[in-house]
Amino acid sequence: MAKITGAEIMVKSLHEEGVRHIFGYPGGVLLPLCDRLFDEKEIKFHLTRHEQGAVHAADGYARATGEVGVCVATSGPGATNLVTGIATAYMDSIPIVAITGQVKCTLIGNDAFQEADMVGITRPITKHNYLVKDVKELARTVKEAFHIARSGRPGPVLIDLPVDVQMNGAEFKYPRTVSLKGYKPTYEGHPGQIKRIAQALEKSKRPVIYAGGGIILSGAEKELTKLARKTDIPVTTTMMGLGAFPEDDKLSLGMLGMHGTAYANHAIQDSDMIIAVGARFDDRVTGRLDAFAPNALVVHIDIDPSSVSKNVHVDIPVIGDARKILRELNKSVKKGDYTQWHRMINKWKKELPLRYKDGKTIKPQYVVEQIYQLTKDEDVIITTEVGQNQMWAAQFFTYTKPRTWISSGGLGTMGYGFPAAIGAQIGKPGSIVIDIAGDGSIQMNIQELATAVCEKIPVKVVILNNGYLGMVRQWQELFYDKRYAFTPLDAGKCTMCPDFVKLAESFGATGMRITRKEEVVPALKKMLKTKGPVMLDVLIDKEENVFPMVPAGEAINNMLHGLA
Amino acid sequence: MDKFVLSVLVENKFGVLARIAGLFSARGYNIDSLAVGETEDPNFSRMTIVVESDERILEQIKKQLNKLIDVIRVQDLTGGEYVSRELILIKVKATNAKTREQLVKIVDSTGAEIVDAGKKFVTIEESGDEHQINALIELLRPYGITEITRTGKIALQAD
């Protein structure tokens, strides 16, 4: 068999894995691979304007499609610019493979130009990582990397690839199977444990299903819906689980946690049995741990054993794939009589709905509601930045399908939403992709406007512009005596900094601005009709807050409601 | 807080030790000792890790170790029967003949060994379980210990 270069082996391996899109940025030690990709027909290289844009785009692509997202960067600063995006993917269990160039093998460890120890730097934020020092190991490494990224609890894998390995020659033989002695994820749930859930359920009077991003990752949404409807148990989802259960269903409690619905938080706290599926009892969900659901028997279905009993004591753990386990569980569960329980929940729903005080100014909640109204019959994907924009987008849009909500959950990464929208749009060209942004977050990766314009990626950005780093300002208002340290973005001389309309136009995108409530619907309609990327700057009520809110360290039924 | 002894079988690849040590440091777990070496199969290494922890954290440590791709098996030896050894080198002041005579007696009675004798110091080696080693240290302390180095515990499950 003839020898081919490492760069060629990498590309052939990517073909084997079905990769069609790569997000990246070139650089010196990545040149052999870039040069090979230049002629590539089956894989499209998407040039972002910052490596962080590339990794978030790969992540958005993965979340929208369910496939592995791929990004590349050069060594040193290129590679370190991936770190935030890799950590984002790691926290939310998103399968990506990041390929970084590295200085040649003989220079590794010598503080060479643009050298960084990427395997060392990304060790705590990857599911696994590799430094390939022998071209003969490359094909096997790529095979393993994709296998690890997408199987079990998914996550990011990094391959650090020295420039000489890209140039060295080896025969190409792509392995058919992966053999990793220490990595054998459990998929089938223990039948005895599944039986115990069904038995416990027979005694429960006030059960709640608490579903997380694991439902979406395992494709278990049908099984989850079946479980809820068959048993008549209400469902609350985490932020990562939005879209896992149709929020227009009468059994839906919406999102729980710090900015969850009051009725979800009360239901969890008053429940006598929690069925947690693919959720990890994040502190933003549990609030004060020792006061969390004091009377509930806790069932936890998760593919990752280390998630079980990490924060909350679990009575019935079941390790395995959510879809397989729920399918088994559905065989043995029965409809329960939860009339009293539903009555109580409906009372909370009626008394404490998600609401806001409408007025003359543009309320961000209203904007999100109108986005939903105008797109509910379409294939729409919402991405978000992080902060108030993210929470309003989570609360006031009604998610009914999985993979339609794309947001940085665990790490809370500002600057995520826009590049993620680009990745999602590339993965789902037929969908309407809207990034709901804040004026602070959008500035963190705004350079990707160039990517969207050049590649004619028609993402829409709605900036809920209040001139503040809004969520931090909210905390300062509530807990720091209104001392707005470093959160006003329009302080001093500049009243609107930057001018997002001119900025969008300078990149060749469409820029629009509205300041009055009656402009919201026409502007959104115009935005949706406009071809190509659009940035809509919405000047919202400057000091609007996100409610309900559980103050940090409080029990989750101890909420600030904000409205009289 | 109790001490626990974990025996961890891992792939014998570069970077594995850093992965394990990094897991402990990133999560704020304290390692008492960590000893590592190749096994009967050169593809694998065995690490013996002694940690001070409570049961709940230990459970997390075991799960997190198992999560690492390069970790093949984690055994908690603490509850069961196991044999453990540690090697220690102790440098003791020995400037006169009387002291040296006494040190030789101690060494003979404990099964330790003098591995180096200079003009001012002797270096004593002992291998044994924690109890034996601590006992030797106490016997030697009055003579003036100037340096100690120990390997950390290695352990195997008893048959």
Side-chain angles (χ1 to χ4, degrees):
Chain A
M1 206 189 283
K3 285 187 178 180
I4 56 174
T5 66
E8 185 74 31
I9 289 173
M10 176 55 90
V11 174
K12 279 182 175 286
S13 303
L14 295 175
H15 285 165
E16 294 282 341
E17 295 297 330
V19 174
R20 285 168 296 142
H21 299 279
I22 291 181
F23 304 88
Y25 205 91
V29 296
L30 201 62
L31 281 173
L33 182 61
C34 290
D35 191 63
R36 173 58 188 81
L37 285 168
F38 194 49
D39 299 323
E40 182 53 35
K41 299 280 186 293
E42 289 168 50
I43 300 174
K44 184 155 170 48
F45 189 98
H46 302 277
L47 174 69
T48 55
R49 268 35 175 198
H50 189 298
E51 288 87 355
Q52 195 183 343
V55 60
H56 290 327
D59 173 310
Y61 176 88
R63 294 189 206 219
T65 61
E67 295 165 24
V68 178
V70 180
C71 62
V72 299
T74 194
S75 64
T80 55
N81 276 345
L82 296 180
V83 166
T84 301
I86 293 171
T88 304
Y90 184 68
M91 289 289 271
D92 291 344
S93 309
I94 304 304
I96 63 171
V97 170
I99 301 160
T100 46
Q102 183 55 278
V103 300
K104 65 179 180 182
C105 291
T106 49
L107 288 179
I108 290 175
N110 289 1
D111 299 331
F113 176 66
Q114 293 197 326
E115 184 193 354
D117 169 17
M118 281 317 287
V119 168
I121 287 172
T122 61
R123 198 175 287 127
I125 53 167
T126 48
K127 188 169 168 189
H128 197 55
N129 61 16
Y130 295 91
L131 168 62
V132 185
K133 289 169 87 175
D134 182 347
V135 68
K136 291 193 210 79
E137 294 290 305
L138 183 53
R140 183 184 58 79
T141 303
V142 178
K143 175 81 183 173
E144 282 181 13
F146 276 82
H147 172 70
I148 291 169
R150 63 163 73 97
S151 59
R153 178 179 183 170
V157 179
L158 178 126
I159 303 173
D160 204 26
L161 191 56
V163 63
D164 48 341
V165 178
Q166 296 170 48
M167 294 190 284
N168 291 345
E171 291 174 356
F172 178 69
K173 195 168 175 242
Y174 204 64
R176 291 295 116 203
T177 53
V178 171
S179 163
L180 292 164
K181 274 196 174 318
Y183 180 67
K184 303 231 161 40
T186 307
Y187 290 100
E188 306 290 340
H190 191 279
Q193 294 293 83
I194 296 172
K195 209 167 145 192
R196 280 180 67 201
I197 303 176
Q199 285 164 351
L201 205 49
E202 285 175 15
K203 291 182 206 127
S204 166
K205 300 264 184 281
R206 301 185 308 279
V208 179
I209 297 168
Y210 152 52
I215 297 284
I216 292 162
L217 293 169
S218 84
E221 62 276 359
K222 285 199 184 77
E223 287 74 10
L224 173 71
T225 306
K226 187 174 175 189
L227 173 68
R229 290 186 183 153
K230 195 174 174 193
T231 55
D232 203 28
I233 300 176
V235 182
T236 178
T237 73
T238 65
M239 197 190 82
M240 290 304 296
L242 290 176
F245 186 76
E247 292 192 298
D248 52 6
D249 192 291
K250 65 177 173 39
L251 288 170
S252 172
L253 298 171
M255 182 174 84
L256 81 166
M258 181 174 271
H259 294 295
T261 64
Y263 37 94
N265 287 347
H266 282 303
I268 279 284
Q269 283 299 80
D270 271 31
S271 67
D272 64 4
M273 181 167 172
I274 293 172
I275 304 174
V277 198
R280 62 190 174 90
F281 296 90
D282 180 82
D283 53 277
R284 280 291 189 270
V285 156
T286 60
R288 206 177 93 204
L289 261 183
D290 59 2
F292 178 75
N295 302 313
L297 178 108
V298 179
V299 172
H300 193 179
I301 297 167
D302 206 290
I303 198 151
D304 179 4
S306 73
S307 275
V308 175
S309 288
K310 185 169 66 179
N311 302 324
V312 168
H313 172 77
V314 172
D315 301 289
I316 308 177
V318 194
I319 304 301
D321 175 60
R323 186 152 64 111
K324 286 177 187 279
I325 292 168
L326 291 185
R327 196 177 285 162
E328 286 308 306
L329 182 61
N330 277 335
K331 289 178 187 164
S332 50
V333 289
K334 290 192 286 257
K335 190 175 165 68
D337 177 13
Y338 307 123
T339 320
Q340 279 291 100
W341 184 220
H342 285 302
R343 196 171 294 152
M344 209 156 144
I345 286 170
N346 286 333
K347 190 167 165 272
W348 286 320
K349 278 188 173 177
K350 211 171 156 189
E351 286 170 2
L352 299 163
L354 276 177
R355 60 188 164 166
Y356 58 95
K357 213 184 249 174
D358 214 350
K360 282 185 185 153
T361 53
I362 304 179
K363 292 287 180 174
Q365 300 93 333
Y366 174 76
V367 179
V368 175
E369 279 176 345
Q370 294 313 309
I371 295 174
Y372 171 66
Q373 288 304 328
L374 292 171
T375 59
K376 63 182 177 187
D377 299 324
E378 317 270 352
D379 275 335
V380 62
I381 294 171
I382 300 294
T383 75
T384 79
E385 304 294 338
V386 166
Q388 289 183 316
N389 61 82
Q390 180 184 33
M391 290 302 126
W392 288 318
Q395 291 176 332
F396 289 91
F397 194 96
T398 308
Y399 299 90
T400 56
K401 283 179 279 199
R403 302 194 181 280
T404 58
W405 159 262
I406 293 177
S407 190
S408 166
L411 199 66
T413 310
M414 287 175 73
Y416 169 81
F418 182 40
I422 290 174
Q425 184 80 77
I426 286 168
K428 291 277 179 187
S431 297
I432 298 168
V433 181
I434 303 172
D435 174 33
I436 295 180
D439 47 317
S441 282
I442 193 63
Q443 292 187 54
M444 284 209 173
N445 273 314
I446 202 153
Q447 74 287 343
E448 297 311 327
L449 261 170
T451 310
V453 171
C454 284
E455 292 206 26
K456 300 186 172 60
I457 300 160
V459 288
K460 314 298 177 201
V461 182
V462 177
I463 304 173
L464 302 175
N465 186 347
N466 53 14
Y468 281 113
L469 300 177
M471 187 59 94
V472 187
R473 188 210 60 78
Q474 177 170 337
W475 283 52
Q476 288 170 329
E477 179 190 324
L478 297 170
F479 313 117
Y480 287 83
D481 209 15
K482 296 194 179 182
R483 283 162 51 82
Y484 296 155
F486 321 121
T487 48
L489 291 181
D490 60 356
K493 284 179 192 159
C494 47
T495 50
M496 213 178 304
C497 189
D499 181 331
F500 289 111
V501 175
K502 282 187 186 160
L503 193 145
E505 286 168 351
S506 77
F507 277 95
T510 305
M512 294 160 61
R513 176 175 303 118
I514 53 172
T515 55
R516 289 177 299 122
K517 191 186 168 189
E518 49 279 21
E519 293 175 297
V520 170
V521 172
L524 288 173
K525 280 184 180 165
K526 192 175 163 198
M527 174 187 87
L528 292 168
K529 265 191 215 148
T530 305
K531 284 194 177 135
V534 180
M535 195 166 258
L536 172 61
D537 187 21
V538 184
L539 301 193
I540 58 163
D541 189 337
K542 290 179 74 69
E543 299 200 359
E544 183 64 23
N545 286 335
V546 180
F547 290 114
M549 177 183 190
V550 180
E554 292 285 345
I556 61 163
N557 56 349
N558 193 359
M559 287 164 276
L560 305 174
H561 290 284
L563 291 175
Chain B
M1 297 291 249
D2 295 309
K3 280 193 182 179
F4 296 91
V5 183
L6 301 176
S7 174
V8 185
L9 189 68
V10 299
E11 299 266 3
N12 189 5
K13 289 182 186 160
F14 77 91
V16 176
L17 179 61
R19 249 180 240 287
I20 302 234
L23 184 148
F24 278 80
S25 64
R27 292 181 179 269
Y29 306 144
N30 202 20
I31 301 180
D32 252 35
S33 81
L34 191 160
V36 54
E38 216 172 87
T39 65
E40 67 285 359
D41 181 338
N43 291 315
F44 307 127
S45 293
R46 178 169 276 108
M47 294 186 182
T48 307
I49 307 175
V50 182
V51 288
E52 204 167 296
S53 148
D54 61 30
E55 287 280 355
R56 201 182 65 85
I57 292 173
L58 181 76
E59 206 49 43
Q60 259 303 305
I61 291 174
K62 287 193 271 184
K63 286 172 175 175
Q64 294 294 346
L65 283 170
N66 265 314
K67 227 168 127 167
L68 296 177
I69 309 285
D70 291 331
V71 169
I72 295 157
R73 196 167 62 242
V74 180
Q75 275 178 291
D76 182 1
L77 300 178
T78 321
E81 292 281 307
Y82 66 92
V83 285
S84 73
R85 287 291 180 273
E86 187 176 8
L87 180 69
I88 187 171
L89 293 174
I90 312 173
K91 199 186 266 186
V92 189
K93 277 186 195 159
T95 41
N96 59 55
K98 197 180 161 207
T99 308
R100 283 167 186 269
E101 208 174 292
Q102 286 170 341
L103 287 173
V104 168
K105 273 187 191 157
I106 290 173
V107 161
D108 284 346
S109 66
T110 55
E113 203 180 326
I114 293 175
V115 288
D116 182 48
K119 283 178 186 162
K120 292 178 186 166
F121 304 103
V122 295
T123 304
I124 295 166
E125 171 205 302
E126 156 109 295
S127 81
D129 64 20
E130 206 178 350
H131 177 73
Q132 286 169 288
I133 284 176
N134 288 342
L136 179 67
I137 292 171
E138 289 317 311
L139 281 175
L140 295 175
R141 201 181 292 283
Y143 298 91
I145 297 172
T146 59
E147 268 183 276
I148 281 180
T149 182
R150 48 206 294 182
T151 58
K153 190 187 289 243
I154 56 169
L156 279 178
Q157 195 168 31
D159 194 13

